[in-house]
Amino acid sequence: MAATVGCMRYLLVGATTPLRRSTSLPSSSSFSSWTWKPNPISFPIQNHAFRSPEKFFTPLAAASPFDLSPPPIDLDLLDTVTEAGAEVSEAGIIETFDNDDEALDAVDNGVVVVDLSHFGRIRVSGDDRIQFLHNQSTANFECLQEGQGCDTVFVTPTARTIDVAHAWIMKNAVTLVVSPVTCGSIIEMLTKYIFFADKVEIQDITKKTSFFVLVGPKSHQVMEDLNLGALVGKPYGTHQHFMVNGMPITVGVGNAISEDGFSFMMSPAIAGSVWKALLSQGAIPMGSNAWEKLRIFQGRPAPGKELTNEFNVLEAGLWNSISLNKGCYKGQETISRLITYDGVKQRLWGISLSGPAEPGSPITADGKKVGKLTSYACGRTESEHFGLGYIKRQAASNGNTVIVGDNIAGTVVEVPFLAWQSPPSKSSGP
């Protein structure tokens, strides 16, 4: 292979140093057992005042399995947010708190909490789970240890991108967080590749868990205030396990659009309590409508839009999710060939627009079609319009002007999520 890289560099989105197992970080365990003591944490539970740390976040005893059956819920999260004025879709997705502009401002200047419980969560267990995922996706799972994590991409045999998944490596399982629209197809695809002798089990735990993310510069302060500061500054994907009111919760570094911020996966029984606790520390609630705008502003590609059979994983710029020096895996031949022969013909960009534009609109430069708009979002002001689109490599670059559709002027710009991605160099590590 023409280009090789140190495995951890391409597993950690936005990380500047390889992820190493920290001697100060306790060994992580799975949802099936906790064998170490985290720092004591206090949490306000529903309408109760703050209690002593030991009564809120405690390590799960080794003999206490995590029951993946949904527990009885006296007042679930959707009841909680509906009472607070949120608009919830028939599918149970929190669409807006009627504060979209305030929430988007808080991403830049404060902190928001977003319920992404409608995103897919897949539990891969069994003795062969690491080797199996190593062979079925782009990341080098064999480089990872318990308590670490990475982004990985599921691709077709020709390296067309299906979805980006965030993986947490636990003691007895790997938990994958994927987009809502791909969860079923990814489970079906993975199940298809489990052979008779493989010790691999796949379980959809989406409806048996809840999932929140914290985004914004003040998310670190929220973590400190909740005595979760031990995770602040840890590498992307690092996670630890706790219990709240006898129910398990995993807290991890990073979220779906950034290596900054944090993620929370928990039993639905405590989702309302955790939500209220985060709001009590100053987090602004954000609905899915504002989240979709944020995704586009940040430049995070999404299935059905930027991630389709029309574009490959390198054109999508997902370099940090790809290991170029591991053994054979699905799509590897195509990826290696594209890198060796400099075969990436287009790339994904952000585009600052002069007006609204329809996804699918052609992008032109000097009168020639050079790409296609894939996503569009209006901003916080009437004059703010933004999109994502694929543009031929030689046709335009950062700062250049293009035309979208018939007459919408656009300026090509870097976006944060793609700017963190690090293409390989010939001199990259071993």
Side-chain angles (χ1 to χ4, degrees), residues 75-260:
L75 181 66
D76 71 11
L77 177 65
L78 294 184
D79 290 334
T80 299
V81 299
T82 300
E83 289 178 358
E87 294 181 18
V88 180
S89 71
E90 292 184 2
I93 300 172
I94 303 171
E95 295 180 334
T96 182
F97 291 87
D98 198 25
N99 69 340
D100 290 0
D101 289 346
E102 178 190 7
L104 289 169
D105 285 335
V107 170
D108 296 327
N109 305 303
V111 57
V112 298
V113 56
V114 193
D115 175 33
L116 297 184
S117 296
H118 58 290
F119 274 51
R121 288 173 295 288
I122 303 169
R123 187 176 191 266
V124 183
S125 58
D127 292 344
D128 298 329
R129 63 190 180 278
I130 296 298
Q131 184 64 47
F132 178 76
L133 289 173
H134 187 86
N135 294 339
Q136 294 300 321
S137 66
T138 60
N140 191 335
F141 280 85
E142 293 182 345
C143 287
L144 297 174
Q145 300 177 16
E146 297 166 27
Q148 296 179 339
C150 69
D151 283 351
T152 192
V153 187
F154 290 104
V155 299
T156 69
T158 56
R160 304 294 171 168
T161 307
I162 299 169
D163 199 2
V164 187
H166 183 58
W168 279 340
I169 313 303
M170 299 177 175
K171 183 178 181 180
N172 298 318
V174 177
T175 298
L176 304 171
V177 180
V178 299
S179 302
V181 297
T182 61
C183 185
S185 60
I186 288 175
I187 289 175
E188 183 178 347
M189 177 186 69
L190 293 178
T191 302
K192 175 183 175 182
Y193 284 98
I194 298 176
F195 296 106
F196 180 76
D198 290 340
K199 297 178 180 179
V200 177
E201 296 180 6
I202 297 174
Q203 186 176 10
D204 185 350
I205 61 170
T206 304
K207 295 190 179 299
K208 300 174 182 180
T209 54
S210 295
F211 192 78
F212 303 158
V213 295
L214 276 183
V215 186
K218 294 186 179 179
S219 59
H220 290 187
Q221 187 59 54
V222 170
M223 296 289 284
E224 295 283 359
D225 292 343
L226 294 173
N227 291 326
L228 288 165
L231 283 166
V232 174
K234 295 297 183 182
Y236 178 77
T238 302
H239 56 279
Q240 295 182 13
H241 309 291
F242 306 94
M243 280 177 33
V244 171
N245 279 6
M247 294 291 177
I249 179 169
T250 296
V251 184
V253 178
N255 53 55
I257 58 171
S258 171
E259 90 266 27
D260 292 324

Side-chain angles (χ1 to χ4, degrees), residues 357-373:
E358 285 291 327
S361 298
I363 299 172
T364 58
D366 297 327
K368 298 179 181 179
K369 181 180 177 181
V370 296
K372 183 174 78 170
L373 191 74

